[in-house]
Amino acid sequence: MIQSAKKKIVLYQPKQVDDSLGVQSSKDMLPLELLTIAAFPLKDGYDVRIVDGSLYNGTEGHERFAQEAEGAMLVATTAILGYMVTDSWRAMQAVKQKHPKVPAVIGGWFASVRPDLMLETGLYEAVVIGQGELIFRDLVRAIDAGESLDDMEGIAILRDGQVIKNPRRSVAGWDDIPGVPWHLLDPTPYREHQMRANSAGDVLRMPTPPWIGPRKPYFGITYFSSYGCPEPCGFCCSPEISMRRWKCMPADRMLDDIEELHDRWGFDVIRFHDANFGVMQKRVREFSEGLLNRDLRIGWNAFIETHSILKYKPDTLDMMADSGMYIAEIGAEAGMDEMMKRIGKPIKGDDNIAAAVEMDTRGVQASVTYIIGYPGETE
């Protein structure tokens, strides 16, 4: 008996960097958001393909996306921030010019905040709002079955020229989300680009771990192990989109996944893209201890709040450094208590300096970011 071909779904990861400016992205930024939403359709028997725009120069990625979309049941992309918003729009335009009838959806932070801008392009059947794994599964099934999207939770749609935001879907925990299908990704082009002699100058590239040597090439990957953030920061879209919910992968599951991936890929550094990696001290401690117990010799860096660092036990911070943490990405955000209060940050006085010193004394470099020019802020 001849089996029918699997129905194809094509996902496009937009570029983080506009290479027409003569710059290169670091290419340790893996298409994590697309890998995670691919898991359910794969389990359901669909043929899922990912085109990562960052691996191609100029419009070659858009052309590859359009080629892959031939005969596809569904195409999808993401709009997160910055140039990625522009590139996802251009890529989807290229697809629709060749395949005007193929259904398309989009998700991501920017799309979740401004679904009207996405829908008004006429490119998309729906915009996924917030956490996308379960919603994308429902969209795939509905579009495949030819069902209406009008009553589906967690999406925005355009009807009679009006943007309709359907009721939000509750945030899911990691027990409800399958493991990342890493086999969809070939690490070779990411590794080759990063191991170039001059890769230290790439945009978004993190410093080389000190045990490898200043500005020497290394192979790093991105990873995320939690969704959302409990902080109320007024400058951020997360409180609106994640509803201040924070769901984390247990340390053991994270360690098992990273160890298996390290055995296969042999990366030097893992760069956590969690919005707030350090919410739960117990999990960070278990993760750090697990790296040491498993003798997983990798460097790692993560976003961690100033007040988390200052509340952690000293031996937890010691263990983080001993396990390979070499950069703490700290959102300092403002320099004055009045502005901290306005934006909802629980930081006062010299807390940011104290947190950076705590990490520096343990050999962990602080990457500290400030936002300049808040509305009403003085020079």
Side-chain angles (χ1 to χ4, degrees):
M1 180 178 178
I2 300 176
Q3 292 184 338
S4 59
K6 293 181 179 180
K7 295 180 179 179
K8 184 167 60 171
I9 298 170
V10 186
L11 310 176
Y12 180 78
Q13 179 76 8
K15 299 179 184 182
Q16 292 95 7
V17 174
D18 183 358
D19 55 25
S20 70
L21 300 176
V23 294
Q24 293 277 353
S25 69
S26 63
K27 294 186 178 47
D28 64 342
M29 311 274 279
L30 306 183
L32 300 177
E33 44 277 81
L34 301 186
L35 283 167
T36 56
I37 66 167
F40 274 122
L42 279 172
K43 289 182 67 175
D44 289 342
Y46 293 92
D47 173 14
V48 183
R49 305 182 188 184
I50 294 176
V51 177
D52 187 349
S54 291
L55 296 180
Y56 304 97
N57 294 320
T59 61
E60 185 182 352
H62 306 166
E63 295 162 6
R64 184 67 61 92
F65 185 28
Q67 290 170 6
E68 289 285 2
E70 177 70 40
M73 183 202 83
L74 173 67
V75 295
T77 187
T78 181
I80 303 173
L81 53 86
Y83 185 70
M84 298 179 78
V85 177
T86 297
D87 193 61
S88 64
W89 171 63
R90 290 174 175 168
M92 194 59 73
Q93 281 186 314
V95 167
K96 288 290 189 171
Q97 285 172 3
K98 287 191 174 182
H99 315 288
K101 294 184 179 181
V102 63
V105 299
I106 188 169
W109 289 105
F110 187 86
S112 294
V113 174
R114 294 299 307 269
D116 55 315
L117 296 180
M118 303 296 118
L119 293 168
E120 287 168 3
T121 65
L123 296 171
Y124 303 104
E125 272 60 46
V127 175
V128 174
I129 306 295
Q131 189 182 35
E133 291 87 346
L134 298 176
I135 301 171
F136 188 67
R137 177 196 62 184
D138 293 346
L139 276 168
V140 168
R141 291 174 175 176
I143 289 172
D144 190 7
E147 297 173 352
S148 170
L149 306 181
D150 288 1
D151 298 321
M152 183 177 293
E153 289 185 335
I155 64 171
I157 53 179
L158 193 66
R159 294 292 182 266
D160 299 323
Q162 298 295 315
V163 175
I164 299 172
K165 293 183 181 180
N166 287 351
R168 296 289 298 275
R169 184 164 188 152
S170 58
V171 176
W174 288 88
D175 289 345
D176 300 318
I177 298 173
V180 173
W182 296 109
H183 67 276
L184 288 181
L185 212 60
D186 177 5
T188 304
Y190 299 93
R191 181 189 294 110
E192 288 179 348
H193 183 89
Q194 293 180 56
M195 295 309 292
R196 295 167 14 259
N198 60 345
S199 62
D202 290 346
V203 177
L204 304 174
R205 188 65 164 165
M206 281 294 186
T208 306
W211 54 87
I212 293 179
R215 298 183 68 81
K216 288 187 177 180
Y218 68 91
F219 177 35
I221 67 166
T222 43
Y223 191 97
F224 70 82
S225 64
S226 65
Y227 171 80
C229 178
E231 302 293 341
C233 303
F235 57 81
C236 184
C237 65
S238 182
E240 177 186 345
I241 301 305
S242 67
M243 298 171 286
R244 296 182 64 185
R245 300 293 302 278
W246 185 75
K247 296 288 187 178
C248 67
M249 187 188 298
D252 284 345
R253 174 174 167 179
M254 181 172 26
L255 286 160
D256 289 344
D257 191 31
I258 290 172
E259 183 172 24
E260 180 185 354
L261 199 58
H262 186 258
D263 288 343
R264 284 190 296 163
W265 288 6
F267 52 84
D268 303 304
V269 169
I270 192 162
R271 178 180 178 181
F272 286 98
H273 258 216
D274 301 48
N276 192 343
F277 181 83
V279 172
M280 185 185 296
Q281 180 177 183
K282 181 176 181 290
R283 187 183 81 120
V284 176
R285 186 183 182 92
E286 289 174 351
F287 172 68
S288 302
E289 188 173 18
L291 288 176
L292 292 168
N293 291 340
R294 299 179 188 220
D295 198 28
L296 268 174
R297 299 179 180 274
I298 57 173
W300 62 281
N301 53 75
F303 294 96
I304 184 166
E305 294 283 347
T306 286
H307 56 87
S308 295
I309 294 171
L310 297 180
K311 289 179 180 178
Y312 277 16
K313 295 178 180 178
D315 60 345
T316 298
L317 298 176
D318 293 341
M319 195 175 296
M320 291 161 61
D322 292 342
S323 69
M325 185 180 196
Y326 75 103
I327 297 176
E329 299 183 58
I330 301 171
E333 316 306 5
M336 298 180 69
D337 288 0
E338 178 186 355
M339 189 56 66
M340 288 290 192
K341 185 177 181 180
R342 284 181 58 188
I343 63 176
K345 273 287 193 180
I347 301 173
K348 295 180 180 179
D350 290 334
D351 284 356
N352 284 323
I353 296 172
V357 169
E358 284 290 345
M359 304 313 293
D360 182 67
T361 58
R362 293 169 170 84
V364 180
Q365 180 179 346
S367 174
V368 185
T369 57
Y370 287 87
I371 298 174
I372 297 173
Y374 290 106
E377 188 173 39
T378 66
E379 288 189 27

